[in-house]
Amino acid sequence: MNPLEIQPKQRRVSVTRSPRRFIALAFALGAWIAASTLSTVALARDSDSEEGSAQAQHLEDGPTRGPLMLKEQGMFYVGGDIVHTDWAAAKGLVSSFSGSGDIAINQMYVTFMVPAVQRGVPIILMHGGTLSGACYETTPDGRMGWYEYFARKGHAVYLPDQVSRARSGFNVTAFNEVGAGVRPPSALPNMFVVTKAQTWPLFRFGPSLGTAFADEQFPVEAIDELAKQSIPDQNVEFQNPPSINFITQTRLAELGLKIGGAVLVGHSESGVYPEQAALQNAAGLRGLISIEPGPSCGATTLSKAQIAKLAKLPTLVVFGDHIGDVQTPPLNWPAALADCQQYVDEINQAGGDATMLHLPAAGVFGNSHMLFQDKNNLDVGNMILEWIDAHVK
C-alpha cells in the first residue's frame, strides 16, 4: 500500500442545456432522488469541485464511492442522573421560571451509523479536549472524515460527545449560583479553550503560527475552520483542566456493552480513555486504540495487575510526525511517545498483543496531532482498519 498515492483528476463532462433536454433531465433526476432516498444516504464528494479543497486521496472502487448505504442511523444517550436543583435558571431570567426542579446530568450523547452490509467489529470514535464528535465527521477543509469513511468500509460507527461537552450538556447549577452571588466566584468551575496560536505548535502544524512544516499534512489553510470546531472544555466535576473525565470513561464502557462489543478509539485528552474504560469494565470492549494520548499512556502509573488486565485486549497506539520538532508545554510529545512505547512493551511482556504505529517509522511523513483530519486521513484510517482486521476478533 502506498499511503500517499494520489488519485488522478477526473474528467468533467459539460451538458448543453436545451430546454427540452433540461426538462427530461430534471424529471429523470427527480425520479432517481425519490427512489434512492428511500434506502440510501447520498453523499457526493469531489475534492476538485470546491475552492481551497485539498488534493484528492486514492479511494478504492466500491463502497467508498457513490451513495452511502445504511441499515440504520440515529442517536441515543448513555447513562445520566436525574437530580434536583434550585438553579436550573438564573433568578429573574424569565419571571415564569422558578429555577427549581429535576434535571438530567452526566449523560453521554451518541450518534451512529450502521452500514447496510456490515463487516468487522463496530468502532467507537471518542474525541479529545476542546472538541466534540464533530471533529470526526468532516475535516476542516471539507473532506470525508473517519465517521463516514469507516461506515463506508463496513463498520458500524458510534460517535459520542464527552459528558459535559457539546450535545451531552452540562450542569448549569454552579454557574447560576455564582452568577446570583450565593456562591463565591472561586466556586465557578474551570473552563478552557485552546487558541489558534497555541493550537499551531501544540498540534504540530509547524514551529509557530503561520509557519508550517514543509511536509505538513494538516490543511493549514483551514485553521480558522478548526477553530470553529473548538468547544470550551467544561468538565465541571474537575477543577484543574485539562483533566480526566472519569464519568465519560464509565459511559464508554457502558456504550460498549450496549452495542454488543466494539473497538474503542481515543484521541489526545481521551487517548487514555480506552484503557481506563477497560479497567472499569472490559466486557463490551474488543480492542483499544490510543491516538497520541496527552500527556502519556500512563505506563509509569499502571500496576502489574492493571497491565495484566489490559493485556487481554489487543491494543494499538498511534503517533504522527515531528514529535521532537516543537516545544509544546504543558505537553511533551517525545516523553509521551517514550511512555507509550514502554506501555506497549509492558503489555506484550504480559502476554498481550500491543502495537506501536509511529507513522514516520512506517514510511508515512508529515502527520500532525490531528491525523484523522490530515490530508492523508483516509490512508491513515486504512492502516488502522487493517490493524483491526488482523488483531481484533
Side-chain angles (χ1 to χ4, degrees), residues 138-169:
T138 305
T139 67
D141 59 339
R143 290 171 293 109
M144 187 187 301
W146 282 4
Y147 181 44
E148 177 186 340
Y149 186 62
F150 288 178
R152 285 180 175 272
K153 299 293 282 187
H155 293 265
V157 189
Y158 295 81
L159 196 64
D161 288 343
Q162 280 192 32
V163 173
S164 296
R165 187 85 56 79
R167 290 169 290 188
S168 295

Side-chain angles (χ1 to χ4, degrees), residues 155-204:
H155 293 265
V157 189
Y158 295 81
L159 196 64
D161 288 343
Q162 280 192 32
V163 173
S164 296
R165 187 85 56 79
R167 290 169 290 188
S168 295
F170 64 97
N171 190 348
V172 300
T173 299
F175 296 92
N176 287 335
E177 288 176 336
V178 171
V182 300
R183 297 182 69 184
S186 60
L188 192 67
N190 287 322
M191 294 191 291
F192 80 104
V193 68
V194 181
T195 67
K196 281 175 57 178
Q198 293 167 333
T199 296
W200 196 281
L202 187 66
F203 292 176
R204 305 194 311 279

Side-chain angles (χ1 to χ4, degrees), residues 189-192 233-235 238-244 269:
N190 287 322
M191 294 191 291
F192 80 104
D233 205 319
Q234 51 191 11
N235 295 329
F238 307 99
Q239 294 299 303
N240 295 297
S243 58
I244 296 176
E269 178 189 49

